[in-house]
Amino acid sequence: MSTINPMDANPLSSLDAWEEDVLLRYPDPEAIAAKSTEDYRNYDDPARDTVKEFYRLNHTYQTYNFVQQKRKEFLQFNKKEMTVWDAFDFLNQLVDDSDPDTDLSQLQHLLQTSEAIRRDGHPDWMVLTGLMHDMGKVLCLFGEPQWAVVGDTFPVGCAYSDKVVYPEFFKANPDFENPVYKTPNGVYEPHCGLRNVDMSWGHDEYVYQMLKDYLPEQGLYMLRYHSFYAWHREGAYDHLLDDHDRDMLKWVTLFNPYDLYSKSPEPPDWKKLRPYYEDLAGKYLPATLKF
Ligand SMILES: [Fe+2]
Ligand SMILES: [Fe+2]
């Protein structure tokens, strides 16, 4: 019998399966009228079982110590150096094995997000934020398991909120009964501000750290907290927020629908768009990015 270390298990058919499930939780308000609520309550769907297993692993293994270890490992950015365009090619190696034809590539999701932001006339740095927001998914290509790359994020080192999806799975996390980590504030001061809070490890924090010197604060909040649904959709963790977080929340909220609801069946024409994005990247980003 083969033994797979549960920490290495990748239950999702692709990383996108997580975001597809988020869409079931937070459906596009404009599309809701067309569908019955039954469509969103189909828990017998086998694809949802894999998402559930994914969250079980995520909530079990994202401990405070695990996050510290990953920060040490990846925030040195000593793995690879690439131009932005080579980085997109690299990211695009992430494909859905089960269905390579119907699934949009990673670049297409990023372009659909950024193009929808551009169409609505938002500032150019926000367009660039849309283009870059999932670049951190390259973590998977460095051998990281899915549960350490995608999924809703949440603070570690303090009590878990029951507003995080599948909160019951936190019972298996060794931090759950830790006397220091199980109090509401845990290792943090009340209202210390999210910048002082360590989030579960994944593509948000990684891309934020990669780009923190190059984008305005509002864009950095969009990068860093776009998967923190318990905060920006559910209003949890108020006891850790400061006024700056409350002020920035509107930007994270502004960004979220572009991430979730910009998927369209027509892939954007990268060849046509490339000159615009080359200028935009040239305006804000260095020639190469460190991974
Ligand atoms: Fe993302
Ligand atoms: Fe995304």
Side-chain angles (χ1 to χ4, degrees):
M1 225 174 87
S2 69
T3 46
I4 298 176
N5 180 345
M7 287 188 78
D8 295 331
N10 287 321
L12 303 176
S13 61
S14 79
L15 287 188
D16 299 332
W18 163 63
E19 270 158 341
E20 281 154 21
D21 196 74
V22 174
L23 203 46
L24 296 176
R25 233 187 308 146
Y26 301 114
D28 184 351
E30 284 171 28
I32 288 175
K35 291 191 177 183
S36 77
T37 49
E38 282 309 297
D39 292 341
Y40 303 117
R41 311 238 173 266
N42 188 4
Y43 290 103
D44 297 331
D45 181 348
R48 299 208 79 177
D49 292 342
T50 66
V51 170
K52 196 170 170 184
E53 173 59 9
F54 159 80
Y55 277 114
R56 193 186 65 75
L57 294 168
N58 174 278
H59 291 9
T60 302
Y61 296 118
Q62 289 270 1
T63 62
Y64 185 74
N65 280 339
F66 175 78
V67 170
Q68 305 313 319
Q69 192 191 310
K70 289 295 155 185
R71 295 178 68 88
K72 223 180 270 164
E73 184 180 347
F74 284 102
L75 299 184
Q76 298 179 51
F77 295 102
N78 59 1
K79 309 254 178 290
K80 225 170 159 48
E81 188 165 348
M82 292 176 272
T83 67
V84 177
W85 320 109
D86 287 344
F88 285 127
D89 286 340
F90 183 59
L91 182 69
N92 258 348
Q93 291 172 28
L94 277 175
V95 285
D96 185 347
D97 297 329
S98 66
D99 198 357
D101 295 329
T102 58
D103 227 60
L104 291 174
S105 72
Q106 296 296 324
L107 176 61
Q108 282 158 351
H109 165 60
L110 292 172
L111 279 175
Q112 290 191 346
T113 306
S114 61
E115 282 294 286
I117 292 168
R118 180 151 76 122
R119 234 176 283 131
D120 284 352
H122 293 301
D124 64 354
W125 56 258
M126 186 171 166
V127 178
L128 186 60
T129 301
L131 183 73
M132 301 301 291
H133 78 278
D134 279 341
M135 186 56 90
K137 290 180 181 175
V138 297
L139 285 169
C140 262
L141 297 165
F142 294 131
E144 294 303 294
Q146 293 165 341
W147 58 265
V149 179
V150 295
D152 295 39
T153 59
F154 47 84
V156 293
C158 59
Y160 306 108
S161 166
D162 60 6
K163 295 279 200 271
V164 179
V165 65
Y166 291 118
E168 63 272 25
F169 289 142
F170 285 122
K171 290 197 186 92
N173 188 306
D175 289 357
F176 188 77
E177 287 298 345
N178 181 302
V180 178
Y181 302 149
K182 74 178 186 182
T183 65
N185 292 307
V187 300
Y188 310 110
E189 293 296 318
H191 299 292
C192 61
L194 289 177
R195 87 191 76 84
N196 294 308
V197 171
D198 286 331
M199 301 294 294
S200 55
W201 177 251
H203 73 289
D204 302 50
E205 179 69 16
Y206 181 61
V207 75
Y208 157 74
Q209 293 281 350
M210 188 188 299
L211 300 180
K212 66 180 174 189
D213 295 332
Y214 309 118
L215 289 169
E217 179 74 351
Q218 298 92 325
L220 296 177
Y221 262 74
M222 294 170 187
L223 294 179
R224 196 174 198 180
Y225 302 112
H226 72 271
S227 304
F228 189 8
Y229 286 90
W231 176 45
H232 67 70
R233 284 283 189 144
E234 305 293 336
Y237 293 103
D238 188 69
H239 56 289
L240 295 177
L241 306 181
D242 66 5
D243 286 342
H244 183 60
D245 297 321
R246 291 194 193 91
D247 189 37
M248 287 292 123
L249 174 60
K250 59 179 176 288
W251 294 97
V252 180
T253 306
L254 177 68
F255 177 77
N256 184 244
Y258 293 106
D259 186 11
L260 284 186
Y261 311 133
S262 62
K263 288 194 178 95
S264 85
E266 297 147 57
D269 186 346
W270 174 227
K271 278 204 191 82
K272 246 200 247 155
L273 295 171
R274 186 164 174 152
Y276 167 79
Y277 283 101
E278 276 179 339
D279 281 355
L280 183 60
K283 180 172 167 188
Y284 289 97
L285 303 180
T288 57
L289 294 173
K290 292 196 173 77
F291 290 79

